[in-house]
Amino acid sequence: MASTADDSPEVTGSDVTGTEQSFILYDAVDDMFEAASTQAVIKIIVEAAADSLGYSQVGVHRYNPTDRSLPPKEWSGDLEAELGTPPTLGEDSLAYELYQRGEAVSVADYHSAEGDHTNVDATIRSEVIVPIDEYGVLMAGSTEPNMFSEKDAAFLEVLCGNAENALNRVDRIDRIEKREAEIESQQETLSELITQLETGFQAVSSDTTAVSTCAGEIATDADTQVEQLMTVSGAIDDISDLTEDFSASADQTAETTDNVLATVEDMRTDMTEMNESITATQAAIAETQETVSDLYDAISRIDDIVDVIDGIAKETNILALNASIEATRSDDSDGFAVIAEEVKALSEETSANTEEIENVAHSITGKIENMADQMDDTSTRIDEASETIAETTRSFDTVVERVTETANITDDISSGAAKQAQSVQDVTGAVEEAVSIAERIVDKTTTIEQSVETQRGQINELDRAIQAAEIELS
């Protein structure tokens, strides 16, 4: 029975009779135990309370453990229109305190109530608050005082008591259904797991077989690798011998190249000296050409002198002719005649000598011209020889450069051959190490094969165990 906050003699109470409340309670309890959800039970509580009290200012606040409050969950049809949306009740509210204590309270009038229930500003004047176990509280209120009788409060307590059982039933059903769903899900998961395990073990078994096969192939390949490495080792030994021979040949080639280089240097020196001699010869020929040119000029002057003498001889001959004419006219003809004869003889002799000198001069001139032509040809040939020698010298320079490069390359080859010999030795060591590793691989492969066989037996045993567990689960 709910405790009464004050003793007011003017309690109005519900107009619904006790018999009607009994029928309402019976129907509500019957409906609650057939309800399939918590929300349906709460809705039945609100409707039964509203019908029993004869008005609709009834609501249920369900406990929210997250923020420790009592938010409204369900309320009767006219409550929101008359009083507004029901508020969320916090820890400082009377309803929360009663929920924590599990105690029902009926307040006749908040404005005149004594103790902690007094609230002269409250819109709700009278109210009944009944906890519904751990679910929350049922609240029936009115803006009028003294609206709830002890019969009304008792009805609400009985209603909420049955609601607790109905809600517990719904919770148990929910938990059972969830548990059944979980069990079904676990069974499905277990079945899938078993299927996956079977598939996995089959794959492992297949992989194990493949690993075993691969291990055998590795062993075979390792043996082949050992044989190939032994062959490579022998080939490397042959290469090492060839490298040593090549190194010796390279040293001999380097020595021969040095000798050729020295010979070419000597030839280049001789060609240089020859070029200098030709240059000197060209200078001498040039001087001779100048001398011949001077001689040619002198002979030309002789021709001029001969021309003068020839002119004098002609004049002398004219004088002799005149003297002969005068001798015929003069008395002293013998004297003029003698003079005329002498002059004529001198003129003839002079003319003869002049002609001989002229012939000699022409002869010398021809020989000088021939000699000048020959000297020009010689100079041209010397120039050509000088150019040829210059080209030969340049060729020798090129030969020297190339021989020098060949010598350098030979030195590099010799050095490379030495390095190659060392590298061959290193490779030989590496091949020997690879042979050793390959032998160890063969040993480890044998061990792997044995382990795989053992693993295969264990997997088969586990597969049989899983099949037996699956039979038990089914």
Side-chain angles (χ1 to χ4, degrees):
M1 181 67 65
S3 61
T4 303
D6 55 12
D7 298 324
S8 176
E10 299 178 358
V11 175
T12 301
S14 172
D15 294 334
V16 181
T17 65
T19 302
E20 290 174 339
Q21 286 184 343
S22 298
F23 282 112
I24 293 171
L25 179 61
Y26 178 80
D27 291 337
V29 171
D30 188 52
D31 292 338
M32 283 190 293
F33 279 93
E34 291 181 358
S37 65
T38 300
Q39 182 62 32
V41 173
I42 293 174
K43 187 176 182 62
I44 293 169
I45 295 171
V46 171
E47 291 176 353
D51 292 341
S52 173
L53 299 175
Y55 57 92
S56 59
Q57 295 175 357
V58 180
V60 172
H61 291 250
R62 187 169 184 181
Y63 178 66
N64 183 2
T66 303
D67 58 0
R68 298 175 62 85
S69 64
L70 292 167
K73 188 67 176 178
E74 183 74 26
W75 53 89
S76 55
D78 295 335
L79 186 147
E80 185 173 355
E82 295 175 358
L83 301 176
T85 303
T88 297
L89 305 175
E91 294 180 292
D92 58 347
S93 65
L94 176 61
Y96 192 90
E97 179 183 349
L98 296 174
Y99 167 77
Q100 291 288 357
R101 296 204 308 255
E103 179 182 347
V105 169
S106 176
V107 179
D109 188 358
Y110 280 110
H111 289 187
S112 61
E114 297 179 356
D116 296 335
H117 303 312
T118 302
N119 184 0
V120 296
D121 297 325
T123 302
I124 299 296
R125 297 290 295 272
S126 57
E127 188 173 35
V128 177
I129 303 174
V130 181
I132 311 175
D133 196 22
E134 64 181 10
Y135 298 97
V137 294
L138 170 66
M139 302 178 68
S142 174
T143 57
E144 299 294 332
N146 303 311
M147 290 299 295
F148 302 101
S149 64
E150 291 183 359
K151 175 176 63 70
D152 294 334
F155 174 84
L156 294 177
E157 287 187 40
V158 174
L159 179 65
C160 289
N162 284 277
E164 291 176 6
N165 296 328
L167 289 170
N168 289 333
R169 171 186 167 276
V170 171
D171 283 347
R172 285 195 300 272
I173 292 173
D174 288 342
R175 287 195 295 270
I176 290 172
E177 290 178 351
K178 290 181 179 178
R179 182 57 182 165
E180 289 177 350
E182 290 176 356
I183 292 172
E184 184 179 357
S185 177
Q186 289 176 354
Q187 288 179 344
E188 292 178 356
T189 303
L190 181 60
S191 178
E192 292 177 357
L193 178 61
I194 292 173
T195 302
Q196 292 176 356
L197 286 174
E198 289 178 349
T199 304
F201 281 124
Q202 290 176 359
V204 169
S205 179
S206 177
D207 292 340
T208 302
T209 303
V211 169
S212 178
T213 303
C214 291
E217 294 176 354
I218 289 173
T220 302
D221 293 340
D223 293 336
T224 304
Q225 184 182 14
V226 170
E227 294 177 359
Q228 292 177 347
L229 288 173
M230 295 300 295
T231 303
V232 171
S233 179
I236 290 176
D237 291 336
D238 295 338
I239 292 173
S240 179
D241 295 337
L242 292 173
T243 301
E244 292 178 356
D245 295 340
F246 180 74
S247 179
S249 300
D251 293 337
Q252 184 176 0
T253 301
E255 183 178 358
T256 302
T257 301
D258 291 337
N259 294 332
V260 171
L261 184 61
T263 303
V264 170
E265 288 288 348
D266 293 338
M267 293 177 64
R268 184 170 65 177
T269 301
D270 294 339
M271 292 299 296
T272 301
E273 293 176 355
M274 184 182 298
N275 191 27
E276 292 176 353
S277 299
I278 289 175
T279 301
T281 302
Q282 286 178 332
I285 290 173
E287 292 178 358
T288 303
Q289 286 177 336
E290 291 180 357
T291 303
V292 169
S293 179
D294 293 339
L295 179 60
Y296 190 80
D297 292 338
I299 291 173
S300 296
R301 288 195 298 272
I302 290 173
D303 287 338
D304 294 337
I305 294 171
V306 168
D307 291 336
V308 171
I309 294 172
D310 185 57
I312 294 172
K314 290 180 180 179
E315 291 179 356
T316 302
N317 194 18
I318 294 172
L319 290 174
L321 179 58
N322 291 330
S324 298
I325 295 171
E326 288 296 331
T328 55
R329 292 178 180 177
S330 175
D331 293 332
D332 192 3
S333 58
D334 292 335
F336 278 106
V338 172
I339 293 171
E341 288 295 331
E342 288 297 329
V343 171
K344 184 178 180 181
L346 179 59
S347 175
E348 291 176 353
E349 184 178 358
T350 299
S351 178
N353 290 333
T354 299
E355 184 177 356
E356 185 177 356
I357 290 171
E358 185 176 2
N359 291 332
V360 172
H362 285 301
S363 177
I364 292 173
T365 300
K367 291 180 179 181
I368 288 173
E369 289 177 353
N370 291 333
M371 185 174 66
D373 293 337
Q374 292 176 357
M375 289 180 69
D376 289 337
D377 293 338
T378 301
S379 178
T380 301
R381 292 177 181 178
I382 289 174
D383 290 338
E384 293 175 354
S386 178
E387 182 64 26
T388 301
I389 290 172
E391 292 178 358
T392 304
T393 302
R394 288 192 293 270
S395 298
F396 274 117
D397 291 338
T398 303
V399 171
V400 170
E401 291 177 358
R402 293 181 178 176
V403 171
T404 302
E405 292 176 357
T406 303
N408 294 332
I409 294 172
T410 303
D411 292 338
D412 294 340
I413 292 174
S414 179
S415 177
K419 293 180 179 178
Q420 184 179 4
Q422 182 63 40
S423 299
V424 169
Q425 293 178 358
D426 295 339
V427 171
T428 302
V431 169
E432 293 175 353
E433 180 66 19
V435 170
S436 177
I437 293 173
E439 292 175 350
R440 291 198 296 271
I441 290 174
V442 172
D443 295 336
K444 291 181 179 179
T445 303
T446 303
T447 304
I448 290 172
E449 289 179 347
Q450 295 173 354
S451 299
V452 167
E453 290 297 331
T454 303
Q455 184 181 9
R456 183 182 298 170
Q458 294 174 348
I459 290 173
N460 291 333
E461 293 179 0
L462 185 58
D463 189 18
R464 287 192 293 271
I466 290 173
Q467 291 176 358
E470 186 176 14
I471 291 172
E472 291 178 0
L473 288 173
S474 62

